[in-house]
């Protein structure tokens, strides 16, 4: 009998729309409320600045992938230009990052479902949803691509619908009276809600700095855009186009959505623990529409979790084939559908930390805690990637006629500074302090292990 083979069933339409929707995540749908509450309208500048930094970071990844399209992941360049041991550390760290993404997205899913089932415990909701998505991931890759395609369609439609709603209500001079954050609020939809009595740091500089983590979380995983573009038939044609469209996506999806939210109602009354997307429709009195939007953001989180389980499974499979053969060989086992089934089991088991977090009284918000862990480990990987990029620039492989990063001698230090600022901001917030310390401990401990391990 023939051995099962890992399946590659994604089509170009799957890759392109998943790449577009990859700029929209739970960090925007759920985290926007907290960032607006902490920083007010000026949080838009944080999205723009961090968005610019991510654009140049992706241009650096794009330059590497354009030089060698046979490499399907930017992590391979870390091994090539920063050394085998650094590559080992980075590959396993990135896998752990994806596991934390699974945990954070599962926490978000529980929050959304409690909109309909407030009496059901979060931990129970999360376990049931994880079982369902595990079932989806046992099917072939083509089914995964089709599921993600429609999830992506829903996410894009949600953002465009939000912006269109704000425009229509604004031109119609829509007024309302509602209860927000326990207070009766009367207002009208207008851009003046954003600019009246504008202050850059309405709640202090440290609150603004503390909000940077959630903004960064909204952008993490954008490197998937470069990697998915590299999987197309002609990567040297699709890669520059996909990455260069990112500024437009940032302006439309992030800045456009935030402007729409804050134009509809006074940002002072937006609660930090509730999705503004749901609140918009509650404000105008359409209860069923609020439920619909809650379904949209639920599908967004389910999409992110589905993608993360898919990615964590494939990463574990790849790492098990590369390293520690014998001990990790069981994780290379494929199901009849070509799915690395044991690697999937491992990803699901580790994702069960989400319901565990909800039961720990010291953790006030499981989503914030997991998102913080995700952000700081992503940043560790990003720092190493930037170092590897500079090593490539110094090597004989550097192609002066390739898809070059604009003004790299200026833009890459700018990216490094912004990432470092975000990382340091994690130490000045009680919700993110311990995850930040954990990232430092992981980097030192696993870094030393990787340094002295026989590879």
């Amino acid at each position: 009998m023939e051995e099962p083979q890992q399946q590659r069933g994604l089509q170009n339409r799957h890759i392109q729309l998943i790449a577009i929707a990859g700029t929209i995540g739970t960090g925007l749908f759920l985290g926007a409320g907290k960032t607006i509450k902490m920083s007010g309208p000026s949080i838009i500048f944080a999205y723009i600045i961090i968005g610019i930094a991510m654009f140049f970071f992706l241009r650096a990844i794009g330059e590497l992938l354009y030089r060698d399209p046979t490499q399907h992941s930017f992590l391979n360049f870390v091994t090539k230009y920063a050394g085998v041991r650094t590559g080992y550390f980075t590959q396993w760290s990135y896998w752990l990052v994806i596991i934390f993404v699974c945990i954070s997205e599962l926490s978000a899913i529980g929050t959304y479902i409690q909109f309909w089932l407030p009496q059901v415990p979060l931990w129970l909701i999360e376990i049931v949803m994880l079982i369902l998505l595990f079932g989806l991931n046992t099917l072939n890759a083509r089914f995964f691509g089709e599921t993600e395609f429609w999830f992506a369609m829903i996410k894009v439609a949600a953002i465009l619908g939000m912006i269109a709603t704000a425009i229509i209500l604004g031109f119609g001079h829509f007024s309302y009276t509602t209860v927000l954050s326990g207070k009766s609020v009367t207002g009208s939809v207008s851009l003046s809600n954003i600019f009246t009595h504008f202050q850059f740091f309405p709640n202090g500089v440290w609150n603004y700095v503390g909000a940077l983590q959630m903004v960064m979380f909204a952008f993490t995983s954008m490197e998937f855009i470069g990697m998915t573009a590299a999987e197309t038939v002609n990567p040297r044609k699709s890669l520059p186009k996909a990455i260069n469209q990112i500024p437009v996506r940032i302006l439309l999806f992030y800045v456009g959505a935030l402007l729409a939210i804050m134009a509809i109602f006074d940002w002072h009354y937006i609660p930090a623990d509730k999705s503004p997307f749901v609140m918009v429709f509650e404000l105008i009195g359409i209860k069923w529409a609020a439920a619909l939007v809650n379904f949209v953001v639920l599908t967004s989180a389910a999409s992110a979790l589905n993608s993360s389980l898919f990615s964590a499974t494939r990463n574990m499979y790849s790492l098990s084939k590369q390293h520690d053969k014998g001990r990790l060989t069981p994780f290379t086992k494929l199901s009849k559908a070509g799915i690395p089934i044991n690697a999937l089991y491992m990803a699901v088991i580790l994702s069960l930390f989400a319901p565990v977090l909800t039961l720990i009284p010291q953790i006030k918000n499981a989503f914030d805690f997991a998102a913080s862990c995700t952000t700081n480990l992503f940043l560790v990987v990003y720092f190493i990637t930037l170092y590897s990029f500079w090593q490539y620039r110094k090597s004989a492989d550097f192609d002066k006629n390739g898809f070059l990063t604009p003004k790299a001698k200026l833009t890459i230090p700018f990216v490094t500074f912004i990432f470092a600022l975000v990382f340091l901001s994690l130490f000045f917030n009680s919700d993110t302090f311990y995850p930040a310390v954990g990232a430092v401990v992981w980097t030192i401990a696993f870094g030393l292990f990787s340094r002295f391990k026989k590879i």
Side-chain angles (χ1 to χ4, degrees):
M1 293 180 64
E2 291 186 6
E3 289 288 326
Q5 299 294 315
Q6 191 179 12
Q7 300 298 312
R8 299 179 183 272
L10 300 185
Q11 298 178 6
N12 187 61
R13 69 182 178 90
H14 296 144
I15 290 170
Q16 292 305 318
L17 193 62
I18 291 170
I20 292 171
T23 58
I24 312 168
T26 308
L28 175 63
F29 283 122
L30 186 59
K34 182 175 181 179
T35 55
I36 292 172
K37 185 71 174 177
M38 293 175 71
S39 308
S42 60
I43 196 63
I44 290 171
F45 296 107
Y47 273 93
I48 292 173
I49 292 170
I50 294 178
I52 291 171
M54 283 301 297
F55 168 68
F56 287 121
F57 175 68
L58 289 174
R59 281 296 300 259
I61 290 177
E63 182 176 335
L64 292 169
L65 289 169
Y66 188 90
R67 176 64 181 83
D68 186 2
T70 62
Q71 303 295 334
H72 298 292
S73 170
F74 70 94
L75 299 175
N76 295 340
F77 296 103
V78 174
T79 301
K80 187 173 183 180
Y81 296 111
V84 175
R85 296 183 185 281
T86 306
Y88 179 85
F89 170 84
T90 309
Q91 288 173 333
W92 280 108
S93 296
Y94 193 74
W95 173 77
L96 183 62
V97 163
I98 299 170
I99 294 298
F100 274 115
V101 173
C102 292
I103 294 170
S104 59
E105 299 297 348
L106 187 55
S107 300
I109 287 173
T111 302
Y112 291 135
I113 292 180
Q114 275 200 325
F115 176 84
W116 293 296
L117 305 171
Q119 305 303 319
V120 180
L122 266 177
W123 62 266
L124 180 59
I125 294 172
E126 290 167 353
I127 290 174
V128 171
M129 287 302 299
L130 188 59
I131 292 171
L132 290 174
L133 288 171
F134 164 77
L136 283 178
N137 272 271
T138 60
L139 305 175
N140 61 41
R142 181 183 176 85
F143 186 86
F144 164 82
E146 202 63 41
T147 304
E148 282 301 292
F149 176 82
W150 290 107
F151 277 163
M153 287 281 284
I154 291 170
K155 286 199 286 186
V156 171
I159 298 290
L160 297 178
M162 169 67 70
I163 295 170
T165 298
I167 293 172
I168 293 170
L169 294 181
F171 278 110
H173 304 290
F174 182 83
S175 298
Y176 58 84
T177 299
T178 188
V179 176
L180 289 174
S181 298
K183 297 180 180 179
S184 179
V185 178
T186 299
S188 60
V189 179
S190 171
L191 286 175
S192 64
N193 289 332
I194 300 172
F195 301 108
T196 301
H197 306 301
F198 178 83
Q199 289 179 283
F200 208 93
F201 304 117
N203 294 316
V205 175
W206 291 119
N207 266 311
Y208 192 86
V209 171
L212 296 179
Q213 175 269 325
M214 191 56 68
V215 177
M216 188 71 207
F217 176 74
F219 285 110
T220 54
S221 299
M222 283 185 86
E223 69 277 0
F224 286 153
I225 295 171
M227 290 190 286
T228 52
E231 292 288 340
T232 56
V233 176
N234 189 350
R236 286 192 167 172
K237 181 179 179 182
S238 59
L239 188 65
K241 184 178 180 181
I243 292 177
N244 285 332
Q245 287 176 347
I246 289 171
V248 176
R249 294 172 186 170
I250 291 169
L251 288 172
L252 178 61
F253 294 135
Y254 285 95
V255 178
L258 289 170
L259 286 173
I261 291 166
M262 289 184 286
I264 290 174
F265 48 3
D266 190 331
W267 68 269
H268 293 87
Y269 301 103
I270 300 176
D273 59 350
K274 193 172 182 181
S275 170
F277 286 77
V278 174
M279 289 177 56
V280 164
F281 291 93
E282 289 180 336
L283 270 172
I284 59 177
I286 307 176
K287 185 64 179 179
W288 67 266
L292 177 62
V293 173
N294 196 69
F295 169 75
V296 169
V297 293
L298 170 61
T299 60
S300 172
S303 165
L305 177 56
N306 197 34
S307 296
S308 298
L309 285 173
F310 182 91
S311 181
T313 299
R314 271 65 183 176
N315 270 274
M316 185 70 178
Y317 172 81
S318 176
L319 288 168
S320 299
K321 289 181 74 72
Q322 292 179 55
H323 306 296
D324 297 320
K325 292 181 180 177
R327 281 180 294 174
L328 296 181
T329 299
F331 294 106
T332 64
K333 179 183 177 181
L334 298 175
S335 68
K336 292 181 179 179
I339 305 300
I341 191 66
N342 287 339
L344 177 59
Y345 281 131
M346 175 62 77
V348 169
I349 289 170
L350 292 175
S351 297
L352 287 172
F353 273 101
V356 172
L357 290 178
T358 64
L359 299 174
I360 300 175
Q362 288 80 6
I363 297 177
K364 298 176 183 177
N365 188 311
F367 173 75
D368 285 352
F369 182 88
S372 301
C373 295
T374 302
T375 301
N376 50 41
L377 280 176
F378 259 120
L379 286 169
V380 170
V381 172
Y382 288 173
F383 284 131
I384 296 173
T385 304
L386 289 170
Y387 171 77
S388 303
F389 171 78
W390 276 123
Q391 295 302 108
Y392 156 74
R393 278 288 183 112
K394 295 176 184 177
S395 73
D397 293 339
F398 174 50
D399 181 7
K400 295 181 180 179
N401 300 314
F403 180 49
L404 300 182
T405 306
K407 305 288 183 183
K409 291 183 179 180
L410 295 175
T411 54
I412 298 303
F414 165 75
V415 173
T416 306
F417 171 76
I418 296 299
F419 287 175
L421 181 63
V422 174
F423 191 84
L424 289 174
S425 75
L426 298 168
F427 292 92
F428 294 94
N429 189 309
S430 59
D431 292 336
T432 60
F433 177 79
Y434 291 107
V437 172
V440 173
V441 171
W442 167 264
T443 302
I444 294 172
F446 191 64
L448 289 172
F449 174 82
S450 303
R451 173 69 180 82
F452 295 106
K453 176 179 168 54
K454 184 178 179 180
I455 299 177

